Amino acid sequence: MFSLDVYQTRRDRLKAQLPDGAMAVIAAAEEVIRNRDAEYPFRQSSDFLYLTGFNEPDAVLVLRPNAPERLFVRPRDPDREVWTGRRLGPERVQESLGIAEGSPLDALPTDMQAMLDETTWLEYPFDCKVTSALIEKCLADRKSHGRRQELLSHRVDLSRRLHQARMIKGPEEIQAMQTAGRISAAGHVDAMRMCRPGLTEDQLASVVEHRFRMEGSPSVAYQTIVGGGENACILHYIDRQDPLHDGDLVLIDAGCEIEGYAGDITRTFPVNGRFSGPQAEIYDLVLQAQADALAEMCVGRSIRLYHQTAVRTLTEGLIALGFIQGPLEDALEEKRFHPFYMHGTGHLLGLDVHDVGRYENDGEPVLLEDGMVLTCEPGLYLSQRLSIPEQFQGIGVRIEDDVLITADGPQVLTGDVPKSRDEIEALMRDGACAVS
Ligand code: GLY
Ligand code: MN
Ligand code: MN
């Protein structure tokens, strides 16, 4: 958790944007059952975490301009806590979270109705199922009790303000993301060191995740992808049951979470430590596309430009390889690269791996700003389904780094894991790497 004033500043900024008579409501995540009575690991709602730093389920934050902040939480319950873990309880909300009023969750239905009586403008994140359900319930109760109804038609999506704020990272967020980048890189370095034919994809994933955990990350930021050979051509491949074969490449897309902030790295390397000729050719083309794209990740440039640049480099290469027909401009216009490269070159990164924020405003692309963090992740996926020479089939390559946009140019947060072929081969041969 960051210092309390970080969260206070975020809440103050949000409240300052709300009109008089407004009430903003944001609910915590709920626990999710995996099977019978076993739960998935708890992950807090990113919006709620952003505003409170509080990591328990079943809580509701209420913000109003010119009124004390309120947080409804689970009450203390020594008997339950023996079974399911410690609870903060309303008594400790003020001291631990800096939120003026802590209240027990069972006071919420009555207190909400009283607050709604004084509310003329109701905001909540429409994309949050838990908050939306809570609001629907409160408004339905109002109706059945004959209370004022205008709010039914005065509801505003809080996500716009909140997600705009989350797009630009502050110093403490940047520090967390630098740490996430460093630890994520260390996991990839370990995977390169440990990889050998015969390991399964899942065993290699465990090497990456072991390092994350040992470095203090409580969780992966998303399901770790490890795809050998043709499996690398499945973009979100999480099966990981196949053995890794001598002569294939393996693609690992893995990132850890620090303070809820995601790292997101992809590296592709030979299972046996040596790139074949065709693998090297494709790898270097993707690496060149990434270098060209990274050079465009500068303040003031369109958020779309670095994708267009990567696509241009990849398309030139695909024409040179004879996989698609030129001339270049026609190939770009007709998107002939699409069977080989079907995703964007990056996304905003933060508390969510595909982070919130807008890529366009009124149809115009957003311009990159100091403090944004985005990934840069070109790839080529030469599936066996494609009509290309056999020696290229089953080669999937993606190279992904996390990039902080600064006034001094792009700053790569994930540079501690090698990506040139020479560096990768040296690391896999004799363990040599700048990262320990
Ligand atoms: N790890 C998901 C992505 O790179 O977008
Ligand atoms: Mn990504
Ligand atoms: Mn990724």
Side-chain angles (χ1 to χ4, degrees):
M1 188 175 177
F2 301 131
S3 68
L4 296 188
D5 54 309
V6 169
Y7 302 100
Q8 188 63 65
T9 304
R10 293 170 177 177
R11 294 193 298 273
D12 287 345
R13 282 208 191 109
L14 187 60
K15 283 187 291 180
Q17 294 176 35
L18 296 175
D20 283 345
M23 175 160 82
V25 181
I26 304 108
E30 292 174 331
E31 280 172 315
V32 181
I33 294 292
R34 179 177 182 274
N35 56 299
R36 194 153 158 82
D37 59 353
E39 289 121 7
Y40 283 107
F42 177 70
R43 174 53 160 80
Q44 188 56 281
S45 138
S46 297
D47 284 339
F48 186 87
L49 192 63
Y50 181 79
L51 291 171
T52 64
F54 185 45
N55 201 29
E56 285 185 24
D58 304 325
V60 179
L61 176 69
V62 178
L63 299 177
R64 293 164 295 167
N66 312 315
E69 298 175 344
R70 299 194 64 179
L71 186 68
F72 294 84
V73 300
R74 300 179 302 182
R76 299 296 309 276
D77 182 340
D79 291 340
R80 292 290 302 275
E81 287 177 53
V82 167
W83 288 87
T84 57
R86 297 186 180 90
R87 297 176 174 190
L88 183 70
E91 311 80 5
R92 292 188 286 189
V93 161
Q94 208 277 330
E95 182 196 350
S96 300
L97 302 173
I99 294 171
E101 276 185 30
S103 306
L105 206 53
D106 57 12
L108 184 70
T110 310
D111 288 11
M112 270 297 254
Q113 294 303 344
M115 289 188 288
L116 282 169
D117 281 341
E118 295 164 7
T119 299
T120 52
W121 176 288
L122 178 58
E123 288 208 21
Y124 59 98
F126 287 3
D127 64 351
C128 174
K129 286 201 183 90
V130 183
T131 314
S132 299
L134 169 75
I135 297 292
E136 293 303 336
K137 168 101 179 55
C138 287
L139 294 179
D141 287 351
R142 259 183 114 61
K143 206 168 181 179
S144 62
H145 288 94
R147 294 173 99 126
R148 250 184 53 228
Q149 296 298 309
E150 305 89 289
L151 281 172
L152 286 172
S153 53
H154 284 77
R155 287 184 265 174
V156 181
D157 190 1
L158 179 64
S159 302
R160 214 185 148 96
R161 303 181 201 280
L162 203 47
H163 295 177
Q164 186 74 26
R166 283 177 51 191
M167 261 178 103
I168 307 295
K169 273 63 181 179
E172 67 292 328
E173 295 178 287
I174 290 170
Q175 202 175 19
M177 295 190 77
Q178 282 167 333
T179 306
R182 181 180 56 73
I183 296 174
S184 299
H188 282 261
V189 167
D190 279 2
M192 288 180 188
R193 284 203 176 112
M194 296 288 290
C195 187
R196 59 178 190 277
L199 274 186
T200 66
E201 295 165 334
D202 196 52
Q203 286 168 331
L204 199 56
S206 78
V207 171
V208 180
E209 294 182 9
H210 175 75
R211 185 67 184 259
F212 292 176
R213 224 72 113 249
M214 293 305 283
E215 297 277 347
S217 161
S219 174
V220 290
Y222 53 91
Q223 293 281 299
T224 297
I225 294 165
V226 179
E230 174 77 13
N231 291 341
C233 300
I234 302 169
L235 299 180
H236 289 164
Y237 173 79
I238 52 171
D239 258 12
R240 302 192 313 225
Q241 294 308 306
D242 289 344
L244 296 166
H245 298 294
D246 201 349
D248 279 351
L249 292 178
V250 57
L251 179 154
I252 302 184
D253 184 344
C256 73
E257 225 175 53
I258 292 292
E259 299 291 352
Y261 289 83
D264 184 7
I265 301 181
T266 307
R267 288 293 184 269
T268 311
F269 53 92
V271 171
N272 65 13
R274 297 282 301 170
F275 286 89
S276 71
Q279 289 168 351
E281 210 169 344
I282 301 305
Y283 188 88
D284 287 351
L285 176 53
V286 175
L287 191 58
Q288 186 60 51
Q290 202 211 29
D292 294 347
L294 279 168
E296 301 294 352
M297 298 183 78
C298 298
V299 169
R301 303 217 180 139
S302 155
I303 200 166
R304 303 274 180 224
L305 180 60
Y306 77 97
H307 172 62
Q308 291 158 356
T309 302
V311 164
R312 178 171 284 268
T313 301
L314 293 173
T315 304
E316 271 172 347
L318 290 168
I319 294 170
L321 283 159
F323 294 176
I324 59 177
Q325 291 274 305
L328 178 62
E329 297 306 328
D330 291 356
L332 289 169
E333 178 70 27
E334 290 179 12
K335 297 191 187 329
R336 290 180 197 154
F337 56 84
H338 195 267
F340 306 87
Y341 183 46
M342 61 299 281
H343 61 77
T345 303
H347 50 84
L348 292 157
L349 186 70
L351 284 169
D352 293 301
V353 63
H354 296 156
D355 207 22
V356 294
R358 297 175 70 82
Y359 293 81
E360 277 186 5
N361 278 321
D362 301 325
E364 289 299 312
V366 160
L367 303 183
L368 295 177
E369 282 181 55
D370 200 346
M372 288 180 178
V373 179
L374 301 111
T375 66
C376 183
E377 50 179 305
L380 281 176
Y381 308 95
L382 309 184
S383 163
Q384 287 154 359
R385 289 180 284 106
L386 299 169
S387 317
I388 53 171
E390 202 182 326
Q391 69 269 28
F392 288 100
Q393 291 184 354
I395 296 178
V397 175
R398 180 163 66 253
I399 304 171
E400 174 174 32
D401 283 294
D402 304 343
V403 183
L404 169 66
I405 309 298
T406 81
D408 300 327
Q411 189 182 315
V412 174
L413 305 179
T414 46
D416 286 348
V417 52
K419 61 184 171 185
S420 78
R421 282 192 293 112
D422 284 350
E423 284 173 316
I424 291 173
E425 288 186 351
L427 171 60
M428 296 185 74
R429 192 175 52 243
D430 36 56
C433 180
V435 180
S436 54

Coordinates of all heavy atoms in Angstrom, one line a residue, residues 187-188 191 201-210 212-213 219-227 235-240 251-256 263-265 398:
G187 N 12.1 -13.0 -13.8 CA 11.5 -14.2 -14.1 C 11.8 -14.8 -15.5 O 12.0 -16.0 -15.7
H188 N 11.8 -13.9 -16.5 CA 12.1 -14.3 -17.8 C 13.5 -14.8 -18.0 O 13.8 -15.7 -18.7 CB 11.8 -13.2 -18.8 CG 10.3 -13.0 -19.1 ND1 9.8 -13.5 -20.3 CD2 9.3 -12.4 -18.4 CE1 8.5 -13.2 -20.3 NE2 8.2 -12.5 -19.2
A191 N 13.8 -18.2 -16.8 CA 13.2 -19.2 -17.7 C 14.2 -19.5 -18.8 O 14.4 -20.6 -19.2 CB 11.9 -18.6 -18.3
E201 N 5.6 -27.0 -20.9 CA 5.3 -25.5 -20.9 C 5.0 -25.1 -19.5 O 5.4 -24.0 -19.1 CB 4.2 -25.2 -21.9 CG 4.5 -25.5 -23.3 CD 3.3 -25.6 -24.3 OE1 2.2 -25.9 -23.8 OE2 3.4 -25.4 -25.5
D202 N 4.2 -25.9 -18.8 CA 3.8 -25.5 -17.5 C 4.9 -25.5 -16.5 O 5.0 -24.6 -15.6 CB 2.7 -26.5 -17.0 CG 1.9 -25.9 -15.8 OD1 1.5 -24.8 -15.9 OD2 1.8 -26.6 -14.8
Q203 N 5.9 -26.4 -16.6 CA 7.0 -26.4 -15.8 C 7.9 -25.1 -16.0 O 8.4 -24.5 -15.0 CB 7.9 -27.7 -16.0 CG 7.2 -28.9 -15.4 CD 7.9 -30.2 -15.9 OE1 8.5 -30.3 -17.0 NE2 7.8 -31.2 -15.0
L204 N 8.0 -24.7 -17.2 CA 8.7 -23.5 -17.5 C 8.0 -22.3 -16.9 O 8.6 -21.3 -16.3 CB 9.0 -23.3 -19.0 CG 10.1 -22.3 -19.4 CD1 11.4 -22.7 -18.7 CD2 10.2 -22.3 -20.9
A205 N 6.6 -22.3 -17.0 CA 5.8 -21.2 -16.3 C 6.1 -21.2 -14.8 O 6.2 -20.1 -14.2 CB 4.4 -21.5 -16.6
S206 N 6.3 -22.3 -14.2 CA 6.5 -22.3 -12.8 C 7.9 -21.7 -12.4 O 8.0 -21.2 -11.3 CB 6.4 -23.8 -12.2 OG 7.6 -24.5 -12.5
V207 N 8.8 -21.8 -13.3 CA 10.1 -21.2 -13.1 C 10.0 -19.7 -13.0 O 10.5 -19.0 -12.1 CB 11.1 -21.6 -14.2 CG1 12.4 -20.8 -14.1 CG2 11.4 -23.1 -14.2
V208 N 9.2 -19.2 -14.0 CA 9.0 -17.7 -14.1 C 8.3 -17.3 -12.8 O 8.7 -16.3 -12.1 CB 8.1 -17.4 -15.3 CG1 7.9 -15.9 -15.4 CG2 8.8 -17.9 -16.6
E209 N 7.2 -18.0 -12.5 CA 6.4 -17.5 -11.4 C 7.1 -17.7 -10.0 O 6.8 -17.0 -9.1 CB 5.0 -18.3 -11.4 CG 4.2 -17.9 -12.7 CD 2.9 -18.5 -12.8 OE1 2.4 -19.2 -11.8 OE2 2.2 -18.4 -13.8
H210 N 7.9 -18.7 -9.9 CA 8.7 -18.9 -8.7 C 9.5 -17.7 -8.4 O 9.6 -17.1 -7.3 CB 9.6 -20.1 -8.8 CG 10.5 -20.3 -7.7 ND1 10.1 -20.8 -6.5 CD2 11.9 -20.1 -7.5 CE1 11.2 -20.9 -5.6 NE2 12.2 -20.4 -6.3
F212 N 9.0 -14.6 -9.5 CA 8.1 -13.5 -9.1 C 7.8 -13.5 -7.6 O 7.9 -12.5 -6.9 CB 6.7 -13.6 -9.8 CG 6.8 -13.4 -11.3 CD1 5.6 -13.5 -12.1 CD2 7.9 -13.0 -12.0 CE1 5.6 -13.3 -13.5 CE2 7.9 -12.8 -13.4 CZ 6.8 -12.9 -14.1
R213 N 7.4 -14.7 -7.2 CA 7.0 -14.9 -5.8 C 8.2 -14.6 -4.8 O 8.1 -14.0 -3.8 CB 6.5 -16.3 -5.6 CG 5.2 -16.4 -4.8 CD 4.0 -15.9 -5.4 NE 3.1 -17.0 -5.6 CZ 2.8 -17.5 -6.8 NH1 3.3 -16.9 -7.9 NH2 2.0 -18.5 -6.9
S219 N 1.3 -12.0 -6.9 CA 0.5 -12.6 -7.9 C 1.0 -12.3 -9.3 O 1.7 -11.3 -9.5 CB -0.9 -12.0 -7.8 OG -1.7 -12.5 -8.9
V220 N 0.7 -13.2 -10.2 CA 0.9 -12.8 -11.6 C -0.2 -11.7 -12.0 O -1.2 -11.6 -11.4 CB 0.7 -14.0 -12.6 CG1 1.9 -14.9 -12.4 CG2 -0.6 -14.7 -12.4
A221 N 0.1 -10.9 -13.0 CA -0.8 -9.9 -13.4 C -1.8 -10.4 -14.4 O -2.9 -9.8 -14.6 CB 0.0 -8.7 -14.1
Y222 N -1.6 -11.6 -14.9 CA -2.5 -12.3 -15.8 C -2.0 -13.7 -15.9 O -0.8 -14.0 -15.5 CB -2.6 -11.6 -17.2 CG -1.2 -11.4 -17.8 CD1 -0.6 -12.3 -18.7 CD2 -0.5 -10.3 -17.5 CE1 0.6 -12.2 -19.2 CE2 0.8 -10.1 -18.1 CZ 1.3 -11.0 -18.9 OH 2.6 -10.8 -19.4
Q223 N -2.7 -14.6 -16.5 CA -2.3 -16.0 -16.6 C -1.0 -16.1 -17.5 O -1.0 -15.5 -18.6 CB -3.4 -16.8 -17.3 CG -4.6 -17.0 -16.5 CD -4.5 -18.1 -15.4 OE1 -4.2 -19.2 -15.8 NE2 -4.6 -17.7 -14.2
T224 N 0.0 -16.7 -17.0 CA 1.3 -16.8 -17.7 C 1.1 -17.7 -19.0 O 0.5 -18.8 -19.0 CB 2.3 -17.5 -16.8 OG1 2.5 -16.6 -15.7 CG2 3.6 -17.7 -17.6
I225 N 1.6 -17.1 -20.1 CA 1.5 -17.8 -21.4 C 2.9 -18.4 -21.7 O 3.9 -17.7 -21.7 CB 1.1 -16.8 -22.5 CG1 -0.3 -16.3 -22.3 CG2 1.3 -17.4 -23.9 CD1 -0.7 -15.0 -23.1
V226 N 2.9 -19.7 -21.9 CA 4.1 -20.4 -22.4 C 3.7 -21.3 -23.5 O 3.0 -22.3 -23.3 CB 4.8 -21.2 -21.3 CG1 6.1 -21.9 -21.8 CG2 5.2 -20.3 -20.1
G227 N 4.1 -20.9 -24.7 CA 3.8 -21.7 -25.9 C 5.0 -22.1 -26.7 O 5.7 -21.3 -27.1
L235 N -2.7 -16.6 -29.4 CA -2.2 -15.4 -28.7 C -2.4 -15.5 -27.2 O -1.5 -15.1 -26.4 CB -3.0 -14.2 -29.2 CG -2.8 -13.9 -30.7 CD1 -3.6 -12.7 -31.1 CD2 -1.3 -13.7 -31.0
H236 N -3.5 -16.0 -26.7 CA -3.7 -16.1 -25.3 C -3.7 -17.6 -24.9 O -4.7 -18.1 -24.2 CB -5.0 -15.4 -24.8 CG -4.8 -13.9 -24.9 ND1 -5.9 -13.0 -24.9 CD2 -3.8 -13.1 -25.0 CE1 -5.4 -11.8 -25.0 NE2 -4.2 -11.8 -25.1
Y237 N -2.7 -18.3 -25.2 CA -2.6 -19.7 -24.9 C -2.2 -20.0 -23.5 O -1.1 -19.6 -23.0 CB -1.5 -20.3 -25.8 CG -1.1 -21.7 -25.6 CD1 -1.9 -22.8 -26.1 CD2 0.1 -22.0 -24.9 CE1 -1.6 -24.1 -25.8 CE2 0.4 -23.4 -24.6 CZ -0.4 -24.4 -25.1 OH -0.1 -25.7 -24.9
I238 N -3.1 -20.5 -22.7 CA -2.9 -20.8 -21.3 C -3.0 -22.2 -20.9 O -2.9 -22.6 -19.7 CB -3.8 -19.9 -20.4 CG1 -5.2 -20.1 -20.7 CG2 -3.4 -18.4 -20.4 CD1 -6.2 -19.4 -19.7
D239 N -3.1 -23.1 -21.9 CA -3.2 -24.5 -21.6 C -1.9 -25.1 -21.0 O -1.9 -25.8 -20.0 CB -3.4 -25.3 -22.9 CG -4.9 -25.7 -23.1 OD1 -5.7 -25.2 -22.3 OD2 -5.1 -26.5 -24.0
R240 N -0.8 -24.8 -21.7 CA 0.6 -25.1 -21.2 C 0.8 -26.6 -20.8 O 1.6 -26.9 -19.9 CB 0.9 -24.3 -19.9 CG 0.7 -22.8 -20.1 CD 1.3 -22.0 -18.9 NE 0.9 -22.5 -17.6 CZ 0.5 -21.7 -16.6 NH1 0.5 -20.4 -16.8 NH2 0.2 -22.2 -15.5
L251 N 7.6 -19.2 -26.7 CA 7.2 -17.8 -26.4 C 6.6 -17.8 -25.0 O 5.8 -18.5 -24.6 CB 6.1 -17.4 -27.4 CG 5.5 -16.0 -27.3 CD1 5.0 -15.5 -28.6 CD2 4.4 -15.9 -26.2
I252 N 7.2 -16.8 -24.2 CA 6.7 -16.6 -22.8 C 6.2 -15.2 -22.7 O 6.9 -14.2 -22.9 CB 7.8 -16.9 -21.7 CG1 8.3 -18.3 -21.9 CG2 7.2 -16.6 -20.3 CD1 9.3 -18.6 -20.8
D253 N 4.9 -15.1 -22.3 CA 4.3 -13.8 -22.0 C 3.9 -13.8 -20.6 O 2.9 -14.5 -20.2 CB 3.1 -13.6 -22.9 CG 2.5 -12.2 -22.8 OD1 2.7 -11.5 -21.8 OD2 1.7 -11.8 -23.7
A254 N 4.6 -13.1 -19.7 CA 4.4 -13.2 -18.3 C 4.8 -11.9 -17.6 O 5.7 -11.3 -17.9 CB 5.2 -14.4 -17.7
G255 N 4.0 -11.6 -16.6 CA 4.3 -10.4 -15.8 C 3.8 -10.5 -14.4 O 2.7 -11.2 -14.2
C256 N 4.5 -9.9 -13.4 CA 4.0 -10.0 -12.1 C 3.3 -8.7 -11.7 O 3.2 -7.8 -12.5 CB 5.2 -10.2 -11.1 SG 6.2 -8.7 -11.0
G263 N 3.3 -5.9 -14.6 CA 4.4 -6.0 -15.6 C 3.8 -6.8 -16.7 O 2.9 -7.7 -16.5
D264 N 4.3 -6.7 -17.9 CA 3.8 -7.4 -19.1 C 4.9 -7.6 -20.1 O 5.2 -6.6 -20.8 CB 2.6 -6.6 -19.6 CG 1.9 -7.4 -20.8 OD1 2.2 -8.6 -21.0 OD2 1.0 -6.8 -21.4
I265 N 5.6 -8.7 -20.0 CA 6.8 -8.9 -20.9 C 6.6 -10.1 -21.7 O 6.1 -11.2 -21.2 CB 8.1 -9.2 -20.0 CG1 8.3 -8.0 -19.1 CG2 9.3 -9.4 -20.9 CD1 9.6 -8.1 -18.3
R398 N 6.9 -13.0 -30.5 CA 6.4 -11.7 -30.0 C 7.5 -11.2 -29.1 O 8.1 -12.0 -28.3 CB 5.1 -11.8 -29.3 CG 4.6 -10.5 -28.7 CD 3.1 -10.5 -28.4 NE 2.7 -11.3 -27.3 CZ 2.1 -12.5 -27.4 NH1 1.7 -12.9 -28.6 NH2 1.8 -13.2 -26.3

